[in-house]
Amino acid sequence: MMMTRRHLCGSLLAATLVGGVVPARADGKITVVDMAGRSVELAALPKRIVLLEAHDLLTMSLLHPDPASLVVGWAATDRIDSETLKQRLQGKHRIEVVGKMTPETVSLEGLIALAPDLVVTTAFMTPPEGSDLLVGRLQELGVPVLFSDTSSNTLASDKSLGPLASLEALMRMWGGILGTQARADTYVEFVRRSLADVASGLAGASPVTTYLEVQSTTDDCCWAAGRKIWGELLAIAGGAPLPAVQAPWFEKLSLEYLLSTPHDVYIASGGGWAAGGRPSLGPGIMPDAARLSLKTLVEARPAFQGLPSVQHGRVHAVWTGLITNPPLHILFVAQLARWLHPDHFPETYAAGLLDTINRDFAAVPIDGPLWTSL
């Protein structure tokens, strides 16, 4: 479904139901509503935060001039997917690693030893099924816990608001945690205006069938992005997934199906650390290296030469950080809108939005290449 101004306003209005902050009381305490809809009381603005998803620091960096000064521990640092950006976000501060990429690697003892006044987690790192021992133990110790993300491949049902409404809820939550609600509201307004501009530019355009690929590697094929998040953003950008894609998160398609199903555009995904021959993208990567790595990915799959998207030169790749960091979803949408509907948007459309984010919001530069093309 094409995003219209009415749909946009409706989805953002729904975000007021989840995520946010109740104004501080006379005793200085504040109540923050997290992304799971839980109202959590904080004694004051936190100064010793542990992030069980390290890339939350990027969201903080759009609202606070030195967010790492408030973070004493983090996990899943590889999911920042850029060693350069990780170092920029951390700056001169020492942040202890309390876990790796999966829940079982999180050290409760190491976490508690840091004496946090807030732990921010996700449904993936502390799964809600059953009784999560880590969250329960922290609550017993009086350490407040907030969820910055409730999406999970393991959940049977999905109660998410959708990527746009979720962004507003997320920024309201972090604005409350950091005491920067006005700045959070300003960022949301920037995204709202930008998405309305995309919707206006797509007026009258037909959706472009797109093979949007997650986990793009030279030794595996063919993982299509699902209908949720990636797929929702694709629709907002004026695209449509392949007909066989019905799963919410991702779906493995056969190479035979891909070759026999017409599509106009192929978009791969890549990151800033090497894994399985995927495209190299993100802060700190050289533009020529990014393009060469996309070329290598396509050439390593000889059958791809038969895809109409490859034959017509409509092959692109994006940095995964544009998906894992909700505040950057607007860049993903803008660049895809340009690729899918080049007659509707200027070549530097998404780059202009990135310039605005870096100039008006980002505590550290978020530079490219965040996308590349053949």
Side-chain angles (χ1 to χ4, degrees), residues 113-131:
L114 295 174
D117 52 15
L118 174 65
V119 172
V120 181
T121 186
T122 67
F124 176 76
M125 292 302 284
T126 52
E129 299 93 348
S131 177

Side-chain angles (χ1 to χ4, degrees), residues 102-352:
T102 53
E104 68 274 10
T105 65
V106 177
S107 167
L108 176 60
E109 294 77 11
L111 194 160
I112 294 174
L114 295 174
D117 52 15
L118 174 65
V119 172
V120 181
T121 186
T122 67
F124 176 76
M125 292 302 284
T126 52
E129 299 93 348
S131 177
D132 186 270
L133 297 178
L134 189 147
V135 172
R137 182 59 177 145
L138 289 172
Q139 291 173 335
E140 290 174 1
L141 295 171
V143 180
V145 178
L146 290 169
F147 282 80
S148 64
D149 184 15
T150 58
S151 60
S152 171
N153 289 340
T154 63
L155 294 180
S157 62
D158 175 46
K159 300 180 181 179
S160 69
L161 297 170
L164 304 180
S166 293
L167 172 63
E168 180 168 358
L170 180 68
M171 298 306 279
R172 288 171 61 85
M173 186 194 88
W174 277 111
I177 293 171
L178 301 174
T180 56
Q181 193 61 63
R183 189 172 179 83
D185 292 343
T186 300
Y187 191 86
V188 169
E189 180 58 30
F190 158 71
V191 173
R192 182 187 290 115
R193 291 195 309 269
S194 300
L195 288 171
D197 185 61
V198 171
S200 177
L202 290 173
S206 299
V208 174
T209 304
T210 304
Y211 172 44
L212 178 56
E213 186 177 61
V214 298
Q215 304 180 118
S216 302
T217 64
T218 57
D219 57 2
D220 196 11
C221 186
C222 306
W223 291 95
R227 296 274 174 171
K228 298 297 293 183
I229 305 182
W230 292 75
E232 291 170 312
L233 296 173
L234 173 63
I236 295 168
L242 297 175
V245 176
Q246 299 297 324
W249 305 106
F250 49 80
E251 187 159 342
K252 188 171 179 60
L253 304 175
S254 70
L255 180 59
E256 291 73 20
Y257 173 82
L258 191 61
L259 291 169
S260 63
T261 304
H263 65 275
D264 301 292
V265 179
Y266 165 43
I267 301 174
S269 59
W273 50 271
R278 64 180 185 154
S280 299
L281 284 165
I285 303 296
M286 297 301 293
D288 288 347
R291 186 178 183 279
L292 178 59
S293 66
L294 176 58
K295 182 173 182 288
T296 299
L297 173 71
V298 174
E299 291 178 347
R301 299 159 160 180
F304 269 43
Q305 302 307 315
L307 297 178
S309 54
V310 174
Q311 293 175 345
H312 297 153
R314 302 190 72 179
V315 177
H316 315 281
V318 295
W319 175 48
T320 59
L322 300 186
I323 293 296
T324 57
N325 298 288
L328 302 186
H329 284 175
I330 180 58
L331 298 176
F332 180 82
V333 168
Q335 187 57 39
L336 261 65
R338 159 64 191 176
W339 284 335
L340 303 182
H341 302 275
D343 294 337
H344 293 244
F345 301 94
E347 184 175 354
T348 59
Y349 185 59

Side-chain angles (χ1 to χ4, degrees), residues 13-35:
L13 178 62
T16 61
L17 302 176
V18 177
V21 61
V22 176
R25 305 197 304 258
D27 58 7
K29 294 182 179 180
I30 58 175
T31 301
V32 176
V33 182
D34 71 3
M35 296 301 291

